[in-house]
Amino acid sequence: MGAEEVKQQLRHRTLLAFRLVFETASVTRAAERLAVTQPAVSQLIGGLERAVGAALFERGPGRRLVPTAAARELYADACRALDALDAFEAAARALADRSGRRLAVAAEPALAGGFVRAVVGRLLRAAPHTDVVIDAAYSREREDGLLRGALDLALASVPPASARLAST
């Protein structure tokens, strides 16, 4: 699978479906929580498995899904990415409450496209007077921007190198 196809599979809904299947051990329960059909969740998981080139779940006793070693490796990163998006959305909403404000966001290039743009799209529908700038930046640039006050928020899948920055 090519780099663009992998990126397409790493969308918010896909990661959310993966996390829910991992936590509930059930495609059906994950589908219920996402308010989609079971086949839709199965397709998301199948696409993610093709993207990473490994099976993520195996059938266990009682038809429960058991995460594979590959799934266990990806789970923490998926949770961090989803938590970062939740934090971004909360920060964006707080700024939207102060309409007419500017929000400067930097994200890893892989996140700056689909994830961040989807959240910003929702923000702009709710607060059309907010000026949002998204910068696809690598770690050093994100950290420098935060430390200088040029960025309001930076999203990454790894903790910052600078001790002056808190990671969540």
Coordinates of all heavy atoms in Angstrom, one line a residue, residues 9-89:
Q9 N -6.0 5.9 5.4 CA -6.6 5.0 6.4 C -6.4 5.6 7.8 O -7.1 5.2 8.7 CB -5.9 3.6 6.3 CG -6.3 2.9 5.1 CD -7.7 2.6 5.0 OE1 -8.4 2.4 6.0 NE2 -8.2 2.7 3.8
L10 N -5.5 6.5 8.0 CA -5.3 7.1 9.3 C -6.1 8.3 9.6 O -5.6 9.4 9.9 CB -3.8 7.4 9.5 CG -2.9 6.2 9.4 CD1 -1.4 6.6 9.5 CD2 -3.2 5.1 10.4
R11 N -7.4 8.2 9.4 CA -8.3 9.3 9.6 C -9.0 9.1 11.0 O -8.9 8.1 11.6 CB -9.4 9.3 8.5 CG -8.9 9.5 7.1 CD -8.5 10.9 6.9 NE -8.1 11.1 5.6 CZ -7.1 11.8 5.2 NH1 -6.2 12.3 6.1 NH2 -6.8 12.0 3.9
H12 N -9.6 10.2 11.4 CA -10.2 10.2 12.8 C -11.1 9.0 13.0 O -11.0 8.3 14.0 CB -10.9 11.5 13.0 CG -11.4 11.7 14.3 ND1 -12.8 11.4 14.6 CD2 -10.9 12.1 15.5 CE1 -13.0 11.7 15.9 NE2 -11.8 12.1 16.5
R13 N -12.0 8.8 12.1 CA -13.0 7.7 12.3 C -12.4 6.4 12.3 O -12.8 5.5 13.1 CB -14.1 7.8 11.2 CG -15.2 6.7 11.5 CD -16.4 7.0 10.7 NE -17.1 8.2 11.1 CZ -18.2 8.2 11.9 NH1 -18.7 7.1 12.3 NH2 -18.8 9.3 12.2
T14 N -11.3 6.2 11.5 CA -10.6 4.9 11.5 C -9.9 4.6 12.9 O -10.1 3.6 13.4 CB -9.6 4.8 10.4 OG1 -10.3 5.1 9.1 CG2 -8.9 3.5 10.4
L15 N -9.2 5.7 13.4 CA -8.6 5.5 14.6 C -9.6 5.3 15.8 O -9.3 4.6 16.7 CB -7.6 6.7 14.9 CG -6.4 6.8 14.0 CD1 -5.5 7.9 14.4 CD2 -5.6 5.5 14.0
L16 N -10.7 6.0 15.7 CA -11.7 5.9 16.7 C -12.3 4.5 16.7 O -12.5 3.9 17.7 CB -12.8 7.0 16.6 CG -13.8 7.1 17.7 CD1 -13.1 7.3 19.0 CD2 -14.7 8.3 17.4
A17 N -12.6 4.0 15.5 CA -13.1 2.6 15.4 C -12.1 1.6 15.9 O -12.4 0.7 16.7 CB -13.4 2.3 13.9
F18 N -10.8 1.8 15.6 CA -9.7 0.9 16.1 C -9.7 0.9 17.6 O -9.7 -0.1 18.3 CB -8.4 1.3 15.5 CG -7.2 0.7 16.2 CD1 -7.0 -0.7 16.0 CD2 -6.4 1.4 17.0 CE1 -5.9 -1.3 16.6 CE2 -5.3 0.8 17.7 CZ -5.1 -0.6 17.5
R19 N -9.7 2.1 18.2 CA -9.7 2.2 19.7 C -10.9 1.6 20.3 O -10.8 0.8 21.3 CB -9.6 3.7 20.1 CG -9.5 3.8 21.6 CD -9.1 5.1 22.1 NE -10.2 6.1 22.1 CZ -10.1 7.3 22.5 NH1 -8.9 7.8 22.9 NH2 -11.1 8.2 22.4
L20 N -12.1 1.8 19.7 CA -13.3 1.2 20.3 C -13.3 -0.3 20.2 O -13.7 -1.0 21.1 CB -14.5 1.8 19.7 CG -14.8 3.3 20.1 CD1 -15.9 3.9 19.3 CD2 -15.1 3.3 21.6
V21 N -12.8 -0.9 19.0 CA -12.8 -2.3 18.9 C -11.8 -2.9 19.9 O -12.0 -3.9 20.5 CB -12.4 -2.7 17.4 CG1 -12.1 -4.2 17.3 CG2 -13.6 -2.4 16.5
F22 N -10.6 -2.2 20.0 CA -9.6 -2.6 21.0 C -10.2 -2.7 22.4 O -10.0 -3.6 23.1 CB -8.4 -1.7 20.9 CG -7.2 -2.1 21.6 CD1 -6.1 -2.7 21.0 CD2 -7.1 -2.0 23.0 CE1 -5.0 -3.2 21.6 CE2 -5.9 -2.4 23.7 CZ -4.9 -3.0 23.0
E23 N -10.9 -1.6 22.8 CA -11.4 -1.5 24.2 C -12.6 -2.4 24.4 O -12.8 -2.8 25.6 CB -11.7 -0.1 24.5 CG -10.4 0.8 24.5 CD -10.7 2.3 24.6 OE1 -11.9 2.7 24.5 OE2 -9.8 3.1 24.8
T24 N -13.4 -2.6 23.5 CA -14.7 -3.4 23.7 C -14.5 -4.8 23.3 O -15.4 -5.6 23.6 CB -15.9 -2.8 22.9 OG1 -15.6 -2.9 21.5 CG2 -16.1 -1.3 23.3
A25 N -13.5 -5.1 22.5 CA -13.3 -6.5 21.9 C -14.4 -6.9 21.1 O -14.7 -8.1 20.9 CB -13.1 -7.5 23.1
S26 N -15.1 -5.9 20.4 CA -16.3 -6.2 19.6 C -16.5 -5.2 18.5 O -16.6 -4.0 18.8 CB -17.5 -6.3 20.5 OG -18.7 -6.3 19.8
V27 N -16.6 -5.7 17.3 CA -16.9 -4.8 16.2 C -18.4 -4.2 16.4 O -18.6 -3.1 16.1 CB -16.8 -5.5 14.8 CG1 -17.3 -4.6 13.7 CG2 -15.3 -5.8 14.6
T28 N -19.3 -5.1 16.8 CA -20.7 -4.7 17.0 C -20.8 -3.6 18.1 O -21.5 -2.6 17.8 CB -21.5 -5.9 17.5 OG1 -21.4 -6.9 16.4 CG2 -23.0 -5.5 17.6
R29 N -20.1 -3.7 19.2 CA -20.2 -2.7 20.2 C -19.5 -1.4 19.8 O -20.0 -0.3 20.0 CB -19.6 -3.2 21.5 CG -20.5 -4.1 22.3 CD -20.1 -4.3 23.7 NE -18.9 -5.1 23.9 CZ -18.8 -6.4 23.9 NH1 -19.9 -7.1 23.8 NH2 -17.6 -7.0 24.0
A30 N -18.4 -1.5 19.0 CA -17.8 -0.3 18.5 C -18.7 0.4 17.5 O -18.8 1.6 17.5 CB -16.5 -0.7 17.8
A31 N -19.4 -0.4 16.7 CA -20.3 0.2 15.7 C -21.5 0.9 16.4 O -21.9 2.0 16.0 CB -20.9 -0.9 14.8
E32 N -22.0 0.3 17.5 CA -23.1 1.0 18.3 C -22.6 2.3 18.8 O -23.3 3.3 18.8 CB -23.5 0.0 19.4 CG -24.3 -1.2 19.0 CD -24.5 -2.2 20.1 OE1 -24.0 -2.0 21.2 OE2 -25.1 -3.2 19.8
R33 N -21.4 2.3 19.4 CA -20.9 3.6 20.0 C -20.6 4.7 18.9 O -20.8 5.9 19.1 CB -19.6 3.4 20.7 CG -19.8 2.7 22.0 CD -18.5 2.8 22.8 NE -18.7 2.2 24.1 CZ -17.7 1.9 24.9 NH1 -16.5 2.2 24.6 NH2 -17.9 1.4 26.1
L34 N -20.3 4.2 17.7 CA -20.0 5.2 16.6 C -21.3 5.5 15.8 O -21.3 6.4 15.0 CB -19.0 4.6 15.6 CG -17.6 4.5 16.1 CD1 -16.7 3.7 15.1 CD2 -17.0 5.9 16.2
A35 N -22.4 4.8 16.1 CA -23.7 5.0 15.5 C -23.5 4.7 13.9 O -24.0 5.5 13.1 CB -24.2 6.4 15.7
V36 N -22.8 3.6 13.6 CA -22.7 3.2 12.3 C -23.0 1.7 12.2 O -23.2 1.1 13.3 CB -21.3 3.5 11.7 CG1 -21.0 5.0 11.7 CG2 -20.2 2.8 12.4
T37 N -22.9 1.1 11.1 CA -23.2 -0.3 11.0 C -21.9 -1.1 11.3 O -20.8 -0.6 11.2 CB -23.7 -0.7 9.5 OG1 -22.6 -0.4 8.6 CG2 -24.9 0.1 9.1
Q38 N -22.2 -2.4 11.6 CA -21.0 -3.3 11.9 C -20.2 -3.5 10.7 O -18.9 -3.4 10.8 CB -21.6 -4.6 12.5 CG -20.5 -5.7 12.8 CD -20.2 -6.5 11.6 OE1 -21.0 -6.7 10.7 NE2 -19.0 -7.0 11.5
P39 N -20.7 -3.6 9.5 CA -19.9 -3.7 8.3 C -19.0 -2.5 8.1 O -17.9 -2.6 7.6 CB -20.9 -3.9 7.1 CG -22.1 -4.6 7.8 CD -22.2 -3.9 9.1
A40 N -19.5 -1.3 8.4 CA -18.7 -0.1 8.3 C -17.5 -0.1 9.1 O -16.4 0.2 8.7 CB -19.6 1.1 8.6
V41 N -17.7 -0.6 10.4 CA -16.5 -0.7 11.3 C -15.6 -1.8 10.8 O -14.3 -1.6 10.8 CB -16.9 -1.0 12.7 CG1 -15.8 -1.3 13.6 CG2 -17.7 0.2 13.3
S42 N -16.1 -2.9 10.3 CA -15.2 -3.9 9.8 C -14.4 -3.4 8.6 O -13.2 -3.8 8.5 CB -16.1 -5.1 9.3 OG -16.7 -5.8 10.4
Q43 N -15.0 -2.6 7.7 CA -14.3 -2.0 6.6 C -13.2 -1.1 7.1 O -12.1 -1.1 6.5 CB -15.2 -1.3 5.7 CG -16.1 -2.1 4.8 CD -16.9 -1.3 3.8 OE1 -17.3 -0.2 4.1 NE2 -17.2 -1.9 2.7
L44 N -13.5 -0.3 8.1 CA -12.4 0.6 8.6 C -11.3 -0.2 9.2 O -10.1 0.2 8.9 CB -13.0 1.5 9.7 CG -14.0 2.6 9.2 CD1 -14.7 3.2 10.4 CD2 -13.3 3.6 8.4
I45 N -11.6 -1.2 10.0 CA -10.5 -2.0 10.6 C -9.7 -2.7 9.5 O -8.5 -2.8 9.5 CB -11.1 -3.0 11.6 CG1 -11.7 -2.2 12.8 CG2 -10.0 -4.0 12.1 CD1 -10.8 -1.3 13.5
G46 N -10.4 -3.3 8.5 CA -9.8 -4.0 7.3 C -8.9 -3.0 6.6 O -7.8 -3.4 6.2
G47 N -9.3 -1.8 6.4 CA -8.5 -0.8 5.7 C -7.2 -0.5 6.5 O -6.1 -0.3 5.9
L48 N -7.4 -0.4 7.8 CA -6.3 -0.1 8.7 C -5.3 -1.2 8.7 O -4.1 -1.1 8.6 CB -6.7 0.2 10.1 CG -5.7 0.7 11.1 CD1 -4.9 1.9 10.6 CD2 -6.3 1.0 12.4
E49 N -5.8 -2.5 8.7 CA -4.9 -3.6 8.6 C -4.2 -3.7 7.3 O -3.0 -4.0 7.3 CB -5.8 -4.9 8.8 CG -6.3 -5.1 10.2 CD -7.2 -6.3 10.4 OE1 -7.9 -6.7 9.4 OE2 -7.1 -7.0 11.4
R50 N -4.8 -3.3 6.2 CA -4.1 -3.3 4.9 C -3.0 -2.2 5.0 O -1.9 -2.4 4.5 CB -5.1 -3.1 3.8 CG -5.9 -4.3 3.4 CD -6.7 -4.2 2.2 NE -7.7 -3.1 2.2 CZ -8.8 -3.1 2.9 NH1 -9.2 -4.3 3.5 NH2 -9.7 -2.1 2.9
A51 N -3.3 -1.1 5.6 CA -2.4 0.0 5.6 C -1.1 -0.3 6.4 O 0.0 0.0 6.0 CB -3.1 1.3 6.2
V52 N -1.3 -1.0 7.6 CA -0.2 -1.3 8.4 C 0.4 -2.7 8.0 O 1.5 -3.0 8.5 CB -0.5 -1.3 9.9 CG1 -1.0 0.0 10.3 CG2 -1.5 -2.4 10.3
G53 N -0.2 -3.4 7.2 CA 0.3 -4.7 6.7 C 0.3 -5.8 7.7 O 1.2 -6.7 7.7
A54 N -0.6 -5.7 8.6 CA -0.7 -6.8 9.7 C -2.1 -6.9 10.2 O -2.8 -5.9 10.2 CB 0.3 -6.4 10.9
A55 N -2.4 -8.1 10.6 CA -3.7 -8.3 11.3 C -3.7 -7.6 12.6 O -2.7 -7.6 13.3 CB -4.0 -9.8 11.5
L56 N -4.8 -7.0 13.0 CA -4.9 -6.3 14.3 C -5.7 -7.0 15.3 O -5.4 -6.8 16.5 CB -5.4 -4.9 14.1 CG -4.6 -4.0 13.1 CD1 -5.4 -2.7 12.8 CD2 -3.3 -3.7 13.8
F57 N -6.5 -7.9 14.9 CA -7.4 -8.7 15.9 C -7.5 -10.1 15.4 O -7.5 -10.4 14.2 CB -8.8 -8.0 16.0 CG -8.7 -6.6 16.5 CD1 -8.8 -5.5 15.6 CD2 -8.6 -6.3 17.8 CE1 -8.7 -4.2 16.0 CE2 -8.6 -5.0 18.3 CZ -8.6 -4.0 17.4
E58 N -7.6 -11.0 16.4 CA -7.9 -12.4 16.2 C -9.2 -12.8 17.0 O -9.4 -12.1 18.0 CB -6.7 -13.2 16.6 CG -5.4 -13.0 15.9 CD -4.2 -13.7 16.5 OE1 -4.3 -14.1 17.7 OE2 -3.2 -13.8 15.9
R59 N -9.8 -13.8 16.5 CA -11.0 -14.3 17.2 C -10.6 -15.0 18.5 O -9.7 -15.9 18.4 CB -11.9 -15.2 16.4 CG -12.6 -14.5 15.3 CD -14.0 -14.1 15.9 NE -14.6 -13.3 14.8 CZ -15.4 -12.3 15.1 NH1 -15.6 -11.9 16.4 NH2 -16.0 -11.6 14.2
G60 N -11.2 -14.6 19.6 CA -10.9 -15.3 20.9 C -12.1 -16.1 21.3 O -13.0 -16.2 20.6
P61 N -12.0 -16.6 22.6 CA -13.2 -17.3 23.1 C -14.4 -16.4 23.2 O -14.3 -15.2 23.4 CB -12.7 -17.7 24.5 CG -11.2 -17.4 24.6 CD -10.9 -16.4 23.5
G62 N -15.5 -17.1 22.9 CA -16.8 -16.4 22.9 C -16.9 -15.3 21.9 O -17.6 -14.3 22.1
R63 N -16.3 -15.4 20.8 CA -16.3 -14.5 19.6 C -15.8 -13.1 19.9 O -15.9 -12.2 19.2 CB -17.7 -14.4 19.1 CG -18.3 -15.7 18.5 CD -19.5 -15.6 17.7 NE -19.7 -14.5 16.9 CZ -19.4 -14.3 15.6 NH1 -18.8 -15.3 15.0 NH2 -19.6 -13.2 14.9
R64 N -15.1 -13.0 21.1 CA -14.4 -11.7 21.4 C -13.2 -11.6 20.5 O -12.5 -12.5 20.1 CB -14.0 -11.7 22.9 CG -15.2 -11.7 23.8 CD -14.7 -11.6 25.3 NE -13.9 -10.5 25.6 CZ -14.4 -9.3 25.9 NH1 -15.7 -9.1 25.9 NH2 -13.6 -8.3 26.3
L65 N -12.9 -10.3 20.2 CA -11.7 -10.0 19.4 C -10.6 -9.8 20.4 O -10.7 -9.0 21.3 CB -12.0 -8.8 18.5 CG -13.0 -9.0 17.4 CD1 -13.2 -7.7 16.7 CD2 -12.6 -10.1 16.5
V66 N -9.4 -10.4 20.0 CA -8.2 -10.3 20.9 C -7.2 -9.5 20.1 O -6.9 -9.8 18.9 CB -7.7 -11.6 21.2 CG1 -6.4 -11.5 22.0 CG2 -8.7 -12.4 22.0
P67 N -6.7 -8.4 20.6 CA -5.7 -7.6 19.9 C -4.4 -8.4 19.6 O -4.0 -9.1 20.5 CB -5.4 -6.4 20.8 CG -6.5 -6.4 21.8 CD -7.0 -7.8 21.9
T68 N -3.9 -8.2 18.4 CA -2.6 -8.9 18.1 C -1.5 -8.0 18.7 O -1.7 -6.9 19.2 CB -2.4 -9.0 16.6 OG1 -2.4 -7.7 16.0 CG2 -3.5 -9.8 16.0
A69 N -0.2 -8.4 18.6 CA 0.9 -7.6 19.0 C 1.0 -6.3 18.2 O 1.3 -5.3 18.8 CB 2.2 -8.4 18.8
A70 N 0.6 -6.3 16.9 CA 0.6 -5.1 16.1 C -0.4 -4.1 16.7 O -0.2 -2.9 16.8 CB 0.3 -5.4 14.7
A71 N -1.6 -4.6 17.1 CA -2.6 -3.7 17.6 C -2.2 -3.1 18.9 O -2.4 -2.0 19.2 CB -3.9 -4.5 17.8
R72 N -1.5 -4.0 19.8 CA -1.1 -3.4 21.0 C 0.0 -2.3 20.8 O 0.0 -1.4 21.6 CB -0.5 -4.6 21.9 CG -1.7 -5.5 22.5 CD -1.2 -6.5 23.5 NE -0.2 -7.4 23.0 CZ -0.4 -8.5 22.3 NH1 -1.7 -8.8 22.1 NH2 0.6 -9.3 22.0
E73 N 0.8 -2.5 19.8 CA 1.8 -1.5 19.5 C 1.2 -0.2 19.0 O 1.6 0.9 19.4 CB 2.7 -1.9 18.4 CG 3.9 -2.8 18.8 CD 4.8 -3.1 17.6 OE1 5.3 -2.1 17.0 OE2 5.1 -4.2 17.4
L74 N 0.1 -0.3 18.3 CA -0.6 0.9 17.7 C -1.5 1.6 18.7 O -1.8 2.8 18.5 CB -1.3 0.6 16.4 CG -0.5 0.2 15.2 CD1 -1.4 -0.3 14.1 CD2 0.4 1.3 14.8
Y75 N -2.0 0.9 19.6 CA -3.1 1.4 20.5 C -2.7 2.7 21.2 O -3.4 3.7 21.2 CB -3.5 0.3 21.5 CG -4.5 0.8 22.5 CD1 -5.9 1.0 22.1 CD2 -4.2 1.1 23.8 CE1 -6.8 1.4 23.0 CE2 -5.2 1.5 24.7 CZ -6.5 1.7 24.3 OH -7.4 2.1 25.1
A76 N -1.5 2.7 21.9 CA -1.1 3.9 22.6 C -1.0 5.1 21.7 O -1.4 6.2 22.0 CB 0.2 3.7 23.4
D77 N -0.4 4.9 20.5 CA -0.3 6.0 19.5 C -1.7 6.5 19.0 O -1.9 7.7 18.9 CB 0.6 5.6 18.3 CG 2.0 5.4 18.7 OD1 2.5 6.1 19.6 OD2 2.7 4.6 18.1
A78 N -2.6 5.6 18.8 CA -3.9 5.9 18.4 C -4.6 6.8 19.4 O -5.2 7.8 19.2 CB -4.7 4.7 18.0
C79 N -4.5 6.3 20.7 CA -5.1 7.1 21.8 C -4.5 8.5 21.9 O -5.2 9.5 22.1 CB -4.9 6.3 23.1 SG -5.9 4.9 23.2
R80 N -3.1 8.6 21.8 CA -2.5 9.9 21.9 C -3.0 10.8 20.7 O -3.3 12.0 21.0 CB -1.0 9.8 21.8 CG -0.3 9.6 23.1 CD 1.2 9.7 23.1 NE 1.9 8.8 22.2 CZ 2.2 7.6 22.6 NH1 1.9 7.1 23.8 NH2 2.8 6.8 21.7
A81 N -3.1 10.3 19.5 CA -3.6 11.1 18.4 C -5.0 11.5 18.6 O -5.3 12.7 18.4 CB -3.5 10.3 17.1
L82 N -5.9 10.6 19.1 CA -7.3 11.0 19.3 C -7.4 12.0 20.5 O -8.2 12.9 20.4 CB -8.1 9.7 19.6 CG -8.3 8.9 18.4 CD1 -8.8 7.5 18.8 CD2 -9.3 9.5 17.4
D83 N -6.6 11.8 21.5 CA -6.6 12.7 22.7 C -6.1 14.1 22.2 O -6.7 15.1 22.6 CB -5.8 12.2 23.8 CG -6.4 11.0 24.5 OD1 -7.6 10.7 24.3 OD2 -5.6 10.3 25.3
A84 N -5.1 14.1 21.4 CA -4.6 15.4 20.9 C -5.7 16.1 20.0 O -5.8 17.3 20.1 CB -3.3 15.2 20.0
L85 N -6.4 15.4 19.3 CA -7.5 16.0 18.5 C -8.6 16.5 19.4 O -9.2 17.6 19.1 CB -8.0 15.0 17.5 CG -7.1 14.7 16.3 CD1 -7.6 13.5 15.5 CD2 -6.9 15.9 15.5
D86 N -8.9 15.8 20.4 CA -9.9 16.2 21.4 C -9.4 17.5 22.0 O -10.2 18.5 22.2 CB -10.2 15.2 22.5 CG -11.0 14.0 21.9 OD1 -11.6 14.1 20.8 OD2 -11.0 12.9 22.6
A87 N -8.2 17.6 22.4 CA -7.6 18.8 23.0 C -7.6 20.0 22.0 O -8.0 21.1 22.4 CB -6.2 18.6 23.5
F88 N -7.3 19.6 20.8 CA -7.4 20.7 19.7 C -8.8 21.2 19.6 O -9.0 22.4 19.5 CB -6.9 20.1 18.4 CG -7.0 21.0 17.3 CD1 -6.2 22.1 17.1 CD2 -8.1 20.8 16.4 CE1 -6.4 22.9 16.0 CE2 -8.3 21.7 15.3 CZ -7.4 22.7 15.1
E89 N -9.7 20.3 19.5 CA -11.1 20.7 19.3 C -11.6 21.6 20.5 O -12.3 22.6 20.3 CB -12.0 19.5 19.1 CG -13.4 19.9 18.7 CD -14.2 18.7 18.1 OE1 -13.7 17.6 18.1 OE2 -15.4 19.0 17.8

